[in-house]
Amino acid sequence: MSDCTYDLLQLVADLRQITGEESDESRIVRRVAPLVRKFAETSRLVTETHDRHDESQGFTLHLLHEEPDHSNAVFLFAWLPGRGTPAHNHKTWGVVVGIEGEERETWWRRIDDGMRPGYAQLDRVSERRLTPGGISSFLSDDIHTVWNDTDSVSWSLHVYGRHINHTGRSEFDPVAKTEKAYVLNVE
Ligand SMILES: [Fe+2]
């Protein structure tokens, strides 16, 4: 790597500084997004240590960093062909940068008032494709579905304000109109 390398230690140092200076999620993701892309573009993130895939889940989370309080969580995601997530929120801010392959993201809007436990009504809003170098960012209550429509494993780098198994977030079934806790397997 050349002197333009920007490594995980530098990214984490910048995350600590930015989240120490800002409390507004929109301002945080605006400042964090270009740094996540710089880290993704100047680092060799996908290596042979990531060969094993989580077939039951359909995608694999490799945790690269989190603080002792679970903040500033950095993951490498591997998306298996023809697999993906249910609709879900994050209950923290997040920035995703495409590394290899392609991911289809479907964005939803919640239209019920959230007052009925286990019930949620979602409206589909838009769809986009994340490709290498592309950035997707979201705030705590944004809801999306992620899917790999391709024939190969797709890879992306994800940075969250907090480890997503420690935010109390939800998955949704837009057809059955249900909401339940969403917790993932992490390598
Ligand atoms: Fe997500």
Side-chain angles (χ1 to χ4, degrees):
M1 286 289 163
S2 69
D3 55 2
C4 64
T5 298
Y6 179 76
D7 66 15
L8 183 60
L9 282 177
Q10 291 170 287
L11 174 65
V12 168
D14 285 339
L15 289 173
R16 288 173 182 155
Q17 181 172 348
I18 292 168
T19 55
E21 292 172 356
E22 311 276 9
S23 54
D24 178 79
E25 288 192 333
S26 300
R27 291 177 62 89
I28 291 172
V29 297
R30 210 174 303 137
R31 290 180 62 182
V32 166
L35 304 176
V36 179
R37 178 152 65 187
K38 184 158 66 166
F39 175 52
E41 287 180 343
T42 63
S43 307
R44 182 172 165 263
L45 294 172
V46 180
T47 69
E48 50 285 349
T49 62
H50 304 118
D51 277 351
R52 207 175 64 78
H53 295 299
D54 188 335
E55 297 283 347
S56 64
Q57 186 162 253
F59 54 96
T60 313
L61 286 71
H62 301 280
L63 180 65
L64 305 184
H65 175 82
E66 67 174 320
E67 309 286 3
D69 67 354
H70 306 298
S71 63
N72 299 334
V74 182
F75 296 92
L76 176 67
F77 269 57
W79 301 94
L80 290 172
R83 306 288 296 277
T85 71
H88 60 272
N89 61 18
H90 306 84
K91 290 295 177 187
T92 185
W93 59 264
V95 172
V96 177
V97 171
I99 296 173
E100 271 182 45
E102 185 179 284
E103 295 159 27
R104 171 168 51 90
E105 276 186 294
T106 305
W107 292 91
W108 306 86
R109 179 177 57 232
R110 184 168 187 165
I111 56 175
D112 68 301
D113 61 9
M115 298 303 286
R116 195 169 133 196
Y119 177 85
Q121 195 174 356
L122 305 187
D123 254 3
R124 187 180 159 134
V125 175
S126 62
E127 191 170 289
R128 59 164 294 195
R129 289 182 189 275
L130 186 74
T131 52
I135 297 176
S136 175
S137 63
F138 41 81
L139 310 182
S140 280
D141 291 321
D142 292 340
I143 299 172
H144 69 166
T145 304
V146 181
W147 209 261
N148 179 3
D149 292 322
T150 76
D151 295 331
S152 316
V153 177
S154 293
W155 299 84
S156 48
L157 179 67
H158 297 227
V159 176
Y160 301 98
R162 179 169 299 278
H163 186 306
I164 44 179
N165 279 352
H166 296 275
T167 63
R169 71 190 185 135
S170 298
E171 67 174 280
F172 302 91
D173 182 334
V175 176
K177 299 182 179 175
T178 56
E179 174 182 14
K180 62 181 181 182
Y182 190 37
V183 178
L184 297 175
N185 305 327
V186 178
E187 292 291 304

